Structures are given as C-alpha cells and as structure tokens.
Amino acid sequence: MSRDDELAEAYDTARLRLTRMAYSILGSHSDAEDAVSDAWLRLVSADNRERVLNIEAWSTVAVARVAYDALRSTRSRRETYVGPWLPDPLVEHLPSGVDPADRITLDDTVSYALLIVLESLTPAERTAFVLHDLFALPFQEVAAAVGRSPDAVRQLASRARSHIRASTPRLKVDAENHRQTVTAFLDAAAGGNLQGLLSLLDPGVVTTCDGGGQVSAARRPVAGADKVSRYIMGLFTIASDREARLVMVNGALGFACFRHGVLDFVASVTTVAGQIATIDIVRAPGKLEQALADGRKQ
C-alpha cells in the first residue's frame, strides 16, 4: 500500500467521528464538511514534510483547529442573519413498525437542545467543552487546537460546563414520557385541535423558527402557550397537502412536515414534566437540503 493510500484509508476511517466533532463545534453540516476537507489537505501537506505517525490524533487536532477558526469567522455572519439562527438538524426517519422508545441513539450525537445552548458560549468555550467533555480529548490536545495553555482551556471548559448546567432543565426527561407528549402534540396539531395543543404546552413555552429569510418564519421567538399554539396551528394549516411525521432529530423524537414528499420543516421539541417547554423549527431551505442525508450518515 502506498503512503497516499495509507493516509486516505486512515482518514476515511476517522472521517465520521471528525465530522461529528466539527458539526458539534459549528452547528452546520456544510461548514463541518468543509473543515474535514480542509484538514485532509493539511494532513497530506504535513506528511509530505515529515511523516505523521498517529494519523487519527493529528487529524483530530487539525479538524478541531479548523472548526474553531471557522466558528470565530461565522459568528459575525450570523449576527446579520435574517431572523433567528438555529443549528442544522440531523433528521432520521423512523423505520416502519419501530417504536420511538426503542430507537437507540448514537453516543456521539449531540442533542439539538445542547447545540442551541452551545451557541451562547464563546468560540473558545464551546470548542474546549466539545473537545474535552463530548469527545474526551485531553486538555493538552485541546490547547493545541485553540492556541491556549492547558490550564486556560481547563478553565474555558469549566465555565462552559457551568453555563450549560444553568441553561438546561435539571429534571431528567423520561424517554417514554417524551414520546407520549410529542406524539400527542403532533396528533393535535395535525388534527387542528387547538385545545389539545394548549393542554400540552408549558405556560412559558417558546418557539423559535429559522426561515433563513427565504421562507415564511417568525422573525422573533414566539412566547406563551396561546401564541405558540396558534403559530403552530398556522404552520399546519397553510397548505392542506402537508404530511406530518414523527422523526428523530439529533437522536431525540421530534416531528417534521413534508409537502409532496419534500421536507418543509423539522421541529426539535424539549419536554419537561409532560409539557412542551421549547419548540425549535427549521424551515430554511438550505438547512433542510442535507438534513435527511446527513442524519443517515451519523
């Protein structure tokens, strides 16, 4: 086997994990794939200068560094984004006859709720947390990725951890209760049952919709059970040819709507104590184009 083939084989073996890691840092399918492709070129160039002994370890740090640099540059672009910016979802169909409660999620799949919380961190905090807490990289390697000392990235990860704990529900959600709540909510929405929707919504529920400035979407988060129920009802009644389905969104049960077989929007749902606390809806066409395909890759 040639050295080029050896490099390619080792990189392809690590590609899925590298892409997951970059996606967790960036929240974008396309940016994650770009980071992995960029790091591949850097690997080939570095190996030409001096043989890389541990290809996977070298590539992990390289992808993390590229993703970190990309995150810092994309933050300014997101500030001018039309309406709320939400991370790209990973969407998987539920196979026919499979109970959502029996669906086994992948260990490296980052929940959609966590991705949204990660958006509130600084690029350095987010990268340190993702690399150390989610992908178990030692602080020495995290330091190499973000250009800080090991002690500095340890503090970054600690701050990120504290922020995440303060921003997420403390109650652990039972998977079966989540399934029942989401299923009942989708049935009520698809059936035009406004009172049914209201009964399932937390009084302080918030819905955020990302249309990317290309399709109809609320420019600001919608808050309160009454407003959210009517907003959701409007989404389901815009067209009579919609087909609603339960889907897995980043490893958790959510729902999606299709028009003529084309994904129209996907919703991630957070439930607490049998009620829906947040609904995050992605309608931006560019974010939906790869959602199903990338979900199957994960």
Side-chain angles (χ1 to χ4, degrees):
M1 179 185 294
S2 69
R3 180 57 177 173
D4 288 345
D5 289 340
E6 183 181 352
L7 284 175
E9 181 177 318
Y11 201 77
D12 284 344
T13 299
R15 184 179 294 274
L16 180 57
R17 184 173 185 273
L18 295 174
T19 303
R20 287 175 179 161
M21 183 179 71
Y23 167 72
S24 301
I25 293 173
L26 292 162
S28 164
H29 301 309
S30 59
D31 289 347
E33 291 171 352
D34 288 346
V36 173
S37 296
D38 189 340
W40 161 249
L41 296 177
R42 296 187 184 199
L43 171 62
V44 173
S45 178
D47 193 72
N48 286 335
R49 295 191 300 271
E50 182 178 353
R51 188 181 183 90
V52 174
L53 298 180
N54 190 328
I55 298 171
E56 182 174 0
W58 192 99
S59 300
T60 298
V61 173
V63 169
R65 185 181 298 120
V66 173
Y68 171 60
D69 290 340
L71 179 61
R72 290 192 295 174
S73 66
T74 58
R75 279 295 173 91
S76 60
R77 296 204 306 269
R78 291 175 188 176
E79 290 175 359
T80 60
Y81 193 79
V82 179
W85 187 95
L86 290 174
D88 294 359
L90 297 174
V91 183
E92 294 178 90
H93 283 300
L94 288 168
S96 178
V98 173
D99 189 326
D102 296 331
R103 173 68 169 81
I104 299 174
T105 60
L106 297 167
D107 291 340
D108 286 343
T109 299
V110 179
S111 75
Y112 201 77
L114 177 56
L115 280 177
I116 291 176
V117 175
L118 292 179
E119 285 296 314
S120 62
L121 303 177
T122 68
E125 288 171 343
R126 177 172 184 161
T127 304
F129 175 81
V130 168
L131 297 182
H132 181 264
D133 287 52
L134 301 185
F135 288 85
L137 265 67
F139 284 120
Q140 193 70 36
E141 293 182 24
V142 178
V146 300
R148 309 281 183 95
S149 69
D151 284 342
V153 294
R154 185 178 288 106
Q155 292 177 5
L156 287 169
S158 178
R159 287 204 299 270
R161 210 174 295 124
S162 297
H163 180 83
I164 290 168
R165 282 198 297 265
S167 303
T168 53
R170 296 183 181 181
L171 294 176
K172 184 175 178 60
V173 179
D174 178 77
E176 176 60 18
N177 287 340
H178 179 82
R179 182 194 68 80
Q180 291 177 359
T181 303
V182 174
T183 300
F185 183 82
L186 182 59
D187 288 343
N193 182 356
L194 182 61
Q195 289 304 312
L197 288 182
L198 282 168
S199 69
L200 293 164
L201 293 174
D202 182 270
V205 63
V206 176
T207 290
T208 303
C209 189
D210 180 348
Q214 298 172 279
V215 296
S216 175
R219 295 294 182 90
R220 293 181 178 82
V222 180
D226 183 64
K227 290 182 178 179
V228 168
S229 63
R230 296 182 187 280
Y231 182 75
I232 294 294
M233 194 67 71
L235 283 178
F236 277 83
T237 57
I238 289 174
S240 60
D241 56 357
R242 291 183 186 273
E243 179 191 358
R245 304 179 196 167
L246 292 170
V247 295
M248 303 300 291
V249 184
N250 288 63
L253 192 67
F255 61 88
C257 273
F258 296 77
R259 295 185 65 183
H260 307 295
V262 177
L263 184 59
D264 184 62
F265 71 81
V266 59
S268 171
V269 180
T270 302
T271 61
V272 178
Q275 289 191 306
I276 292 175
T278 63
I279 307 171
D280 296 297
I281 301 169
V282 176
R283 293 202 73 201
K287 295 187 177 186
L288 296 178
E289 286 177 358
Q290 291 184 307
L292 287 168
D294 284 324
R296 286 191 292 269
K297 291 178 188 175
Q298 295 299 308

